[in-house]
Amino acid sequence: MVEVGTLIWRSHKQTIDVVVMNDVDVSTGIFQMNKFVHVWMHHDAETTRYTCDCSMYGILINVNDADEVCCHIRFLKEHVEANIHSLFNSDSDTLKTAIGVMLKRSIASIGQPVVKLDQHKLNHKFSVFSDDQIASVIVTLEKNRFVCTNGECRALKSHKRKAVSLDDSASLCQHLRTLNQNKAPWKEFVTELLEDDNTNIPVTDVPEEPLHCKIVSNDIEH
Ligand SMILES: [Zn+2]
Ligand SMILES: [Zn+2]
């Protein structure tokens, strides 16, 4: 996790912290470079309680003490919890270990509505804020199409759209709406994919503008 993993702090409030990190395959225990989970730390005066949206936590919460078994919560308890105070206070210079350096990097994009998580060539993953700016969900961008993985959004059928038609779409889920309002983290990947998808268009006809959306979506007028 410390050497190759992703750990990104999404929200930091007095009673809640939310971080996103790599998932681990529940059956093989293999670290997953391009799958991510959100972990919540709920603070009260005395203690911190954890919840995680990984499948391991979902399975174990009903039969066991999931706090002790979910590897994400174990990692945060063992390596992060004791450093939170230093991390968010002026003594963060004391964090000089490998974990400390990782933690300092993890808070760089705190509060940003859309954060890219993957290092994959084609299959992109973003952590996108919900409207409360505390919770985040994973949205995938693959073959020029966004899919929000949140269960409620899926149920409402507002979770799946071509990236090029976000602007024209009235019934977006809150996360796709947020993506539409924050194009900077993703627009370069859509351009790549559009060029790949339009192999029948001569290269010289492809405009240089990054979001040449209208080429594929302007047939409404005709
Ligand atoms: Zn977990
Ligand atoms: Zn959504």
Side-chain angles (χ1 to χ4, degrees):
M1 178 70 205
V2 176
E3 283 166 20
V4 296
T6 296
L7 176 70
I8 296 175
W9 220 282
R10 300 295 285 121
S11 305
H12 174 61
K13 311 275 178 199
Q14 198 174 1
T15 55
I16 286 172
D17 281 285
V18 183
V19 300
V20 61
M21 53 202 289
N22 297 87
D23 202 0
V24 172
D25 185 289
V26 72
S27 54
T28 62
I30 293 173
F31 188 81
Q32 308 215 289
M33 284 300 287
N34 204 24
K35 276 189 91 175
F36 303 92
V37 298
H38 288 97
V39 193
W40 291 59
M41 295 172 248
H42 313 260
H43 311 292
D44 64 26
E46 266 124 54
T47 180
T48 296
R49 193 170 51 82
Y50 290 80
T51 53
C52 180
D53 60 17
C54 75
S55 54
M56 202 184 294
Y57 182 92
I59 292 165
L60 295 166
I61 187 70
N62 294 320
V63 293
N64 214 322
D65 186 354
D67 268 29
E68 298 303 323
V69 191
C70 157
C71 55
H72 309 106
I73 296 176
R74 274 208 326 266
F75 179 85
L76 293 179
K77 278 186 165 183
E78 286 169 20
H79 302 291
V80 179
E81 192 176 292
N83 293 317
I84 291 181
H85 181 79
S86 303
L87 185 62
F88 290 102
N89 288 282
S90 51
D91 54 344
S92 71
D93 285 348
T94 59
L95 298 170
K96 292 202 192 305
T97 59
I99 293 263
V101 171
M102 182 192 206
L103 286 176
K104 281 203 271 186
R105 206 171 47 224
S106 80
I107 62 173
S109 53
I110 212 162
Q112 286 184 14
V114 177
V115 176
K116 182 170 176 281
L117 303 171
D118 66 278
Q119 293 160 33
H120 197 276
K121 255 183 138 175
L122 296 172
N123 186 354
H124 301 297
K125 304 273 173 83
F126 297 88
S127 170
V128 181
F129 266 161
S130 298
D131 287 347
D132 66 7
Q133 309 211 345
I134 297 172
S136 302
V137 306
I138 305 293
V139 178
T140 65
L141 172 62
E142 205 176 335
K143 293 188 178 157
N144 199 26
R145 183 178 283 262
F146 283 117
V147 179
C148 173
T149 61
N150 179 266
E152 281 176 36
C153 302
R154 296 176 90 97
L156 294 169
K157 307 260 185 250
S158 55
H159 66 297
K160 224 190 249 186
R161 290 289 180 280
K162 282 184 177 172
V164 291
S165 33
L166 286 186
D167 271 331
D168 307 325
S169 200
S171 58
L172 297 175
C173 80
Q174 55 181 303
H175 311 103
L176 296 194
R177 214 185 313 125
T178 297
L179 278 162
N180 194 29
Q181 289 157 359
N182 297 274
K183 294 190 171 79
W186 56 264
K187 62 181 180 183
E188 63 182 292
F189 307 108
V190 171
T191 305
E192 267 173 37
L193 292 163
L194 274 176
E195 286 168 359
D196 286 346
D197 287 347
N198 291 303
T199 44
N200 54 338
I201 298 173
V203 173
T204 49
D205 282 352
V206 178
E208 284 174 3
E209 268 302 298
L211 276 177
H212 45 288
C213 318
K214 297 304 174 195
I215 285 186
V216 292
S217 62
N218 66 354
D219 52 357
I220 306 154
E221 304 290 320
H222 301 289

